[in-house]
Structures are given as structure tokens and as C-alpha cells.
Amino acid sequence: MKSKILFFMFLGVLGNAQVNRFFYEYTFIPDSNNKEDVKKEIMLLDIDKNGSNYYSHDKFVADSIGKAELEKQLKAGGGSISINRREKPGQVSYKVTKQYPDFKTYLFRSISMDKYKIREDQKPEWKIMPDKQKIGDYNTQKAVTKLGGREWTAWFATDLPFQDGPYIFYGLPGLIVKIEDATGSHKMTLAGNKTVKTMASEGELQVPDQVKVLGMGGKEIEVTKDQFKKAWKAYVNDPSKSMRELMMKNGGENNTKVAFKVKTADGKEISDPNQVFREMEKRTKEALQKDNNPIEPDLVN
């Protein structure tokens, strides 16, 4: 029987525990040549006694709904399975975890179909300044650091007894309430918080032998920053390589069958592999040109 290969990404559900959830408004400028185009995303920082998780709210919701749809279709049976694109899939795909008490930090990112777990080996070195500022309900103090190819200014509140913060930032004597890079391209501001009980951990989705789901479950490829940079450079030079390799498996082991279809900008559907790959390369390179202002330039340059 021919295998159906689905492309589906989602965030794992956290274990059942009580956590302090902090909501950050993340504003960023993806294209340095178009500074008027400012994006916004609500990010969540979940903190419990074991560590923290930082991720996009919209992406988490979209992935959870997508997983539920897939489970429903698998249980119903039938000859075809489809995953529809969510209306708000989330603009930020990465997530960050920190493990207490040593703050072992990992950044999770994807390149094409591969998922990576990148160990953050550089600890933020802060210089605490005398400046103080009232931000929302919190009295904060200024601190500065250099990290990931940017200069950052943070404002932390000792009233919030967490030495943590958004993204890969931590190590101040209070939660980071606001942090912004020197160019004003990336800013994270605390917008609210509450105590929540996370959903109970769900078991592995049972998928029939004839269906393969890529990007769901399994372990990420653990790499150093240098290894990730090498993989990123290879992707930029040849964006459709992974798809071509998958296509070459047609009729191979287990009689796997892979098919791709895409629509061009004018709405025309194409399925010829060579045309599909050319269209994918074109789209990827256009997207990369407009996404030239990453939060960590040192990671992709």
C-alpha cells in the first residue's frame, strides 16, 4: 500500500503542572529595508519549578487544533487525509526552553523538514545600570548586554522573583519586564500574567502503518550553533534539496509514494516535480530576502 506523507508541525503539550504564565508582546521588523512593516506576536513564557518554556501563542493554538483534526480524520478512516492551513498559524516558529537551576538553555528551530535543538552556550553577561523606570505596574531597573550579534537593553523587576525572561535571556535579579535591541528592530514587553494549570500530557498519536507524519513526534537533531549555521547555509544555497531527496524515494522502500502540489501567485496549480521545485526555490529566496533582520544575526550569518 502506498504511504501518504503529511507535513505537520506542532508544539508538544507541556506536562500537567501549575505554572506562572507571562504574556509578552513581541514587536519586530523582519525586513530591514522596510522598517514601516512592524509585526506583532503574543509570546508566552511559562515558568515552573523545573524551568521555563517560551513560545508563540498563535502557533501553539494552531498546532493543537491541527493535531486534533488529524486525530479525528485518522479515527474516521477513509482514503485521504488533509490538514488545512490555520487562519492564524503564528509568525514565530521557534521556541526556547531553560532548565533550572543551571539555566541550561535550548533554542528549537526548523530548517525545511528538519527540526533542530540548539544548545545555547553563551550566558548573558549583564551590566546593571542605576537607571530606573516604571513600566506598567512594576518598578524596573536597567541592564545591558551583548548577545547573538545585537546590543540589548533590559528592564527587570525585583518584585517578580524570577531570574528569567523572554527568548534566551536570563540571569538578572528579577523577571525581565521589557527588552529591546539597539536598533529598535526587536522588542519584548510584558503585557500580563496569570497562574495556569497546563493540560495533562497526551499519549503518542497512533498512526496507521500506511501513513507517515513528518514533523510530528520524534526527537530533534541536537546540534551546536556552528552545526546549525552550516545547515542553514546549505538550505539557503539549495532550499528544495530535502524535498528532492524525498521525491527520489518514490517507489522505493515500502513502495513509498510522495506527491507535491503548489499554487503559483496567479492561482495556477502545478504538480510536475521540476516545476514544483523551481516554484519552491523562488518562494523561499523571496521570503529570505524579506526576512533579513533576524533576532540573532550570529546564528544565520
Side-chain angles (χ1 to χ4, degrees):
M1 183 177 290
K2 296 178 180 179
S3 298
K4 291 185 174 65
I5 298 186
L6 310 177
F7 299 94
F8 184 67
M9 303 294 294
F10 68 98
L11 296 178
V13 178
L14 302 176
N16 189 8
Q18 188 141 322
V19 303
N20 294 285
R21 173 165 292 172
F22 296 91
F23 299 80
Y24 285 85
E25 182 181 76
Y26 173 37
T27 60
F28 58 103
I29 300 172
D31 185 355
S32 61
N33 298 313
N34 184 11
K35 295 185 179 180
E36 300 302 315
D37 183 23
V38 180
K39 306 292 186 183
K40 290 185 179 181
E41 187 95 342
I42 294 299
M43 305 294 293
L44 305 181
L45 178 65
D46 287 350
I47 299 177
D48 63 19
K49 62 184 178 65
N50 298 314
S52 65
N53 294 271
Y54 180 72
Y55 55 96
S56 161
H57 172 268
D58 282 350
K59 178 167 173 53
F60 178 76
V61 171
D63 288 346
S64 299
I65 293 173
K67 182 184 178 185
E69 286 182 358
L70 178 58
E71 288 178 323
K72 182 178 180 180
Q73 292 180 56
L74 287 172
K75 289 177 181 178
S80 64
I81 296 174
S82 64
I83 300 297
N84 296 322
R85 180 177 174 82
R86 304 267 64 81
E87 183 179 347
K88 296 177 67 177
Q91 303 171 92
V92 179
S93 59
Y94 60 73
K95 64 176 180 176
V96 176
T97 65
K98 304 186 189 89
Q99 299 171 13
Y100 300 163
D102 56 355
F103 283 88
K104 185 181 293 183
T105 303
Y106 290 98
L107 170 64
F108 295 80
R109 287 192 52 166
S110 297
I111 299 177
S112 187
M113 296 183 296
D114 296 322
K115 299 188 294 182
Y116 291 90
K117 180 180 180 181
I118 310 160
R119 173 68 187 272
E120 176 54 59
D121 52 9
Q122 185 179 1
K123 179 181 178 180
E125 297 293 337
W126 297 101
K127 182 179 180 181
I128 297 179
M129 312 298 285
D131 313 58
K132 295 186 178 180
Q133 184 181 125
K134 185 75 175 286
I135 300 177
D137 296 330
Y138 302 105
N139 295 310
T140 68
Q141 188 167 349
K142 183 179 179 180
V144 295
T145 191
K146 292 181 180 180
L147 194 64
R150 293 185 181 275
E151 297 180 5
W152 296 90
T153 297
W155 297 88
F156 65 93
T158 55
D159 290 343
L160 295 169
F162 304 98
Q163 296 181 26
D164 211 329
Y167 197 55
I168 59 175
F169 300 104
Y170 66 91
L172 287 166
L175 186 73
I176 295 173
V177 172
K178 179 180 176 181
I179 187 165
E180 183 175 10
D181 83 301
T183 70
S185 298
H186 297 268
K187 179 171 68 174
M188 290 152 271
T189 306
L190 183 63
N193 69 284
K194 65 180 180 179
T195 302
V196 300
K197 180 170 287 189
T198 62
M199 296 171 60
S201 178
E202 300 178 6
E204 278 293 314
L205 180 61
Q206 297 300 311
V207 181
D209 292 339
Q210 72 270 22
V211 177
K212 294 182 180 180
V213 183
L214 302 182
M216 184 163 68
K219 293 184 178 181
E220 294 87 357
I221 305 168
E222 188 165 344
V223 295
T224 64
K225 282 192 169 183
D226 286 342
Q227 290 171 327
F228 180 84
K229 287 171 70 172
K230 184 178 180 180
W232 178 259
K233 185 176 181 180
Y235 169 69
V236 171
N237 290 334
D238 189 1
S240 62
K241 180 180 178 181
S242 295
M243 295 295 186
R244 287 202 311 273
E245 290 175 349
L246 192 60
M247 181 65 75
M248 289 173 64
K249 294 181 180 180
N250 276 358
E253 185 179 357
N254 298 324
N255 196 27
T256 300
K257 179 67 176 177
V258 184
F260 299 107
K261 290 183 179 180
V262 298
K263 285 187 177 181
T264 59
D266 59 4
K268 180 182 178 182
E269 186 176 272
I270 54 177
S271 57
D272 176 79
N274 291 326
Q275 291 182 330
V276 169
F277 294 141
R278 282 196 296 270
E279 180 67 18
M280 288 173 55
E281 264 192 49
K282 178 185 174 185
R283 289 186 187 182
T284 301
K285 290 182 177 180
E286 288 175 351
L288 289 171
Q289 287 178 352
K290 295 179 180 179
D291 190 17
N292 55 52
N293 193 24
I295 189 169
E296 259 191 283
D298 283 357
L299 195 58
V300 294
N301 294 333

